[in-house]
Amino acid sequence: MSIKRISKDAILLALLCVTGMFSLPLGDNIKVSLQLLTLFIIWGICDDIWDRILIPALYLVIGLFIPVYAGFQAGITPTFGFVISFVVAGIPFHFIYKYLKTGLIMRYVLACFVSLLVVYIIGTVYLKLYLNIDFSKALLIAVVPYIPFDISKIAICTVILNALPDKIKNPKPEVDQTPIEK
């Protein structure tokens, strides 16, 4: 791993930790956080599957001890399944974004939606088990109120990613240009 890549991952992890803490209360037990918005941007910037898994995995570990989760929480909470899902959701994002043969924006939006579906499934199953409620009630608590906000996050991230310079979105590997002695 290069120093540049480690530094970039550390900055993106710090960004996730800082933005992930904040949430906007919108009513009875509905808080919209910036975790997914930040993750969608991070996944769009990273080129390697391991970075797309490592950054949310480190976020998960840090959040067990330091309050970096939404609402300045730490540890295992009823919504911890969503944090677990961030690690897994980077995998389908990677394969869709990197290998699907469509335009860049279409690939990105599709990768975000599939990853969001993974987040919803894992987070809802965890909430169901944690609170010992049925699946439909868990869906009504943890998914349904957030769908419009999450769709908006994907739209915002698409605009942001599209506005970023290509050097940030698709960094070219550094080529060693030192001459070879014969």
Side-chain angles (χ1 to χ4, degrees):
M1 241 185 169
S2 73
I3 298 294
K4 187 185 266 187
R5 183 172 164 198
I6 293 170
S7 299
K8 178 180 168 183
D9 286 357
I11 291 168
L12 293 174
L13 175 60
L15 177 69
L16 180 58
C17 287
V18 170
T19 60
M21 289 188 262
F22 296 99
S23 59
L24 304 168
L26 297 175
D28 298 335
N29 296 325
I30 298 176
K31 294 180 183 172
V32 177
S33 76
L34 300 177
Q35 293 167 321
L36 271 175
L37 184 123
T38 306
L39 274 172
F40 289 148
I41 292 170
I42 289 170
W43 289 336
I45 291 173
C46 292
D47 192 46
D48 190 85
I49 189 170
W50 299 113
D51 295 337
R52 290 181 175 127
I53 295 170
L54 179 66
I55 294 169
L58 290 172
Y59 176 69
L60 182 149
V61 172
I62 291 168
L64 290 173
F65 306 101
I66 300 171
V68 294
Y69 297 153
F72 293 90
Q73 294 196 355
I76 298 175
T77 65
T79 57
F80 186 67
F82 290 97
V83 180
I84 294 169
S85 72
F86 298 158
V87 179
V88 178
I91 298 168
F93 183 96
H94 174 78
F95 286 103
I96 292 169
Y97 189 58
K98 189 154 179 122
Y99 298 111
L100 192 66
K101 302 294 181 200
T102 63
L104 180 68
I105 292 175
M106 187 62 185
R107 272 195 331 250
Y108 181 73
V109 170
L110 186 59
C112 287
F113 272 109
V114 171
S115 296
L116 181 60
L117 187 61
V118 170
V119 168
Y120 283 164
I121 291 168
I122 294 172
T124 304
V125 168
Y126 182 91
L127 183 70
K128 174 205 177 315
L129 296 172
Y130 189 91
L131 296 177
N132 197 21
I133 57 177
D134 61 37
F135 191 76
S136 61
K137 186 168 183 176
L139 271 174
L140 287 173
I141 294 170
V143 174
V144 173
Y146 299 97
I147 291 172
F149 300 106
D150 292 336
I151 291 171
S152 300
K153 290 174 192 175
I154 292 172
I156 292 166
C157 291
T158 304
V159 170
I160 290 171
L161 193 71
N162 199 36
L164 289 175
D166 286 339
K167 189 173 185 178
I168 294 174
K169 290 186 287 194
N170 300 312
K172 303 291 183 234
E174 292 182 21
V175 178
D176 184 13
Q177 302 212 357
T178 55
I180 300 174
E181 295 184 28
K182 293 186 181 184

